[in-house]
Amino acid sequence: MIRTATPADVPDLHALIRELAEYEKAVEEARATPGQLHEALFGEHPAVHAHVAVDDRSGETVGCALWFLNFSTWRGVHGIYLEDLYVRPTARGAGHGKALLTELARLCVARGYQRLEWSVLNWNTPSIAFYESLGARPQDEWTVYRLTDESLTALGGERR
């Protein structure tokens, strides 16, 4: 079962995000707190959306998709950027990941969004194979750049 996350899902979402960070070998970078997650999802100005995959038999939350809107200046419409897609290892192969992606694709189609995009680590070949089996294709002509921590602070602190 896939459903839109509620405030009661924040502890499970936080735990799934931590598990994803461990899987991606970057747990020390996952610093978000449950409070920050709650504010981003359900605060006065929500900027992030989430769906959860719930096992029909046990009722356990076994996966999640956290996403936000982006905008294509070339197409002139919004799209969805999938920040995190994660299914617990014990629940993989049961269709939860595909169901989460299907729900996001359904939202795109229903709302007139023309893109569903995400990033995947180059070494994550099981996920790459899964995404490609759904028809997703890598955008390898683009390189992602990121400013964080000291570099972001240094640039953001410069005066004009």
Side-chain angles (χ1 to χ4, degrees):
M1 174 178 68
I2 305 300
R3 63 173 174 75
T4 303
T6 68
D9 292 311
V10 168
D12 284 340
L13 288 168
H14 187 259
L16 290 164
I17 290 166
R18 298 285 301 175
E19 289 176 32
L20 173 61
E22 288 175 26
Y23 175 76
E24 292 185 348
K25 303 173 180 105
V27 71
E28 68 283 349
E29 295 178 39
R31 296 178 268 193
T33 66
Q36 289 173 313
L37 189 57
H38 185 276
E39 181 64 25
L41 288 162
F42 305 108
E44 187 175 343
H45 302 287
V48 180
H49 308 276
H51 286 78
V52 293
V54 179
D55 182 271
D56 291 332
R57 287 172 272 141
S58 69
E60 176 190 7
T61 301
V62 294
C64 64
L66 282 93
W67 57 275
F68 53 89
L69 293 180
N70 59 14
F71 185 79
S72 170
T73 56
W74 289 15
R75 294 193 175 208
V77 296
H78 284 291
I80 286 178
Y81 185 84
L82 176 59
E83 180 65 23
D84 287 337
L85 176 69
Y86 182 72
V87 175
R88 288 192 162 126
T90 57
R92 291 183 189 154
H96 301 295
K98 182 177 181 183
L100 286 162
L101 283 170
T102 298
E103 178 60 16
L104 296 187
R106 187 196 64 73
L107 284 173
C108 286
V109 171
R111 297 177 182 179
Y113 305 159
Q114 295 184 7
R115 291 181 179 165
L116 172 55
E117 298 180 309
W118 61 92
S119 298
V120 61
L121 291 165
N122 292 333
W123 58 259
N124 193 348
T125 54
S127 293
I128 292 168
F130 168 64
Y131 298 144
E132 290 183 354
S133 78
L134 299 176
R137 296 294 169 252
Q139 302 299 299
D140 53 12
E141 67 272 15
W142 294 88
T143 300
V144 175
Y145 281 82
R146 179 179 295 159
L147 281 170
T148 60
D149 303 324
E150 296 82 18
S151 298
L152 178 64
T153 302
L155 183 61
E158 287 185 9
R159 301 268 179 205
R160 292 187 194 187

